[in-house]
Amino acid sequence: IVLWPRGTSCCGRCFKRLGGIPLRFVDPKKELVFRQQQRQHLTNAMGRIGRVALVAHILAVMADLSTFDLTDLNQANVNYLSCLSLVAILSLMQIVMTIPEACVPILYTLAAISLMLTTRSRAAFLAGMDVVEAFGSQLSTAIGLCSLSSDAILIGNFACLIVIYFVVLPARAAVSLWCVPFFPLTYLALSVPAPQADGNMA
């Protein structure tokens, strides 16, 4: 098996002591057989993941939609519901399509971004609205209003996504390497306060 870094340079030898990322088999025939087997395993795994994710998402959305007045939606509501729809579409794609391995990280990257935007606070931020103004009428209790700015459910969903991708999904490390820093950076990028025109932070 060809590993990266190869250890031919001084820096490469130092990094190689920490471990290596498998890139391919040295024998081209073994590499071809492995990729054919991997493609089928990946397709089957994505189909199962997509079905479970779609059912769980539909159940969650059905419970959530009861709080919306679909005849009177503001822009924050539209953003929120659009991102929920995008998560459903990405789940459905895993069921009905055979996705090449090289595109799997892109699909899950879009899923990570969509999950981040399915929080009401971020949907309100993108609409330029205050989160209580945008969604406060749907929640009457103090706990409900506090949950508008909480990331507890999001972090749980994000943890599930990371476990599914790096543990359950048989995607090669050579393809998925850039997802290791990207997932936490996605959360940071959409969570760090941004300066506003009036000098406040949002």
Side-chain angles (χ1 to χ4, degrees):
I1 297 177
V2 178
L3 300 177
W4 182 88
R6 299 189 180 186
T8 55
S9 63
C10 180
C11 293
R13 286 192 294 270
C14 292
F15 281 112
K16 194 173 183 179
R17 293 176 183 175
L18 302 175
I21 299 170
L23 298 179
R24 63 182 183 277
F25 283 96
V26 176
D27 188 346
K29 293 181 180 179
K30 290 183 178 179
E31 176 69 12
L32 179 61
V33 172
F34 173 75
R35 290 202 177 196
Q36 290 173 345
Q37 295 175 345
Q38 186 78 358
R39 187 181 302 114
Q40 188 60 45
H41 292 328
L42 185 62
T43 300
N44 293 339
M46 292 189 72
R48 290 192 293 268
I49 292 169
R51 284 189 287 272
V52 173
L54 185 60
V55 170
H57 184 67
I58 289 175
L59 292 176
V61 170
M62 287 174 62
D64 210 14
L65 280 180
S66 61
T67 64
F68 284 89
D69 180 5
L70 299 180
T71 61
D72 184 23
L73 296 176
N74 56 45
Q75 186 58 49
N77 296 159
V78 172
N79 292 345
Y80 179 75
L81 295 174
S82 298
C83 290
L84 288 178
S85 301
L86 183 56
V87 172
I89 291 171
L90 293 173
S91 300
L92 186 62
M93 286 175 62
Q94 297 184 77
I95 303 173
V96 301
M97 296 176 61
T98 300
I99 300 173
E101 186 183 30
C103 296
V104 172
I106 299 174
L107 179 75
Y108 276 80
T109 296
L110 292 174
I113 295 172
S114 300
L115 276 178
M116 291 293 299
L117 298 178
T118 53
T119 55
R120 288 175 166 85
S121 58
R122 291 174 178 82
F125 172 74
L126 292 178
M129 301 176 65
D130 179 75
V131 63
V132 176
E133 174 193 354
F135 296 98
S137 60
Q138 303 167 8
L139 302 169
S140 57
T141 64
I143 294 178
L145 292 174
C146 288
S147 69
L148 291 176
S149 57
S150 173
D151 275 353
I153 296 177
L154 171 64
I155 292 173
N157 290 336
F158 220 65
C160 290
L161 177 71
I162 292 173
V163 170
I164 288 171
Y165 188 84
F166 290 107
V167 178
V168 180
L169 201 65
R172 291 183 300 152
V175 176
S176 306
L177 178 62
W178 61 277
C179 289
V180 175
F182 186 84
F183 285 156
L185 287 175
T186 300
Y187 180 81
L188 289 176
L190 294 174
S191 299
V192 175
Q196 302 297 296
D198 58 3
N200 295 324
M201 305 294 285

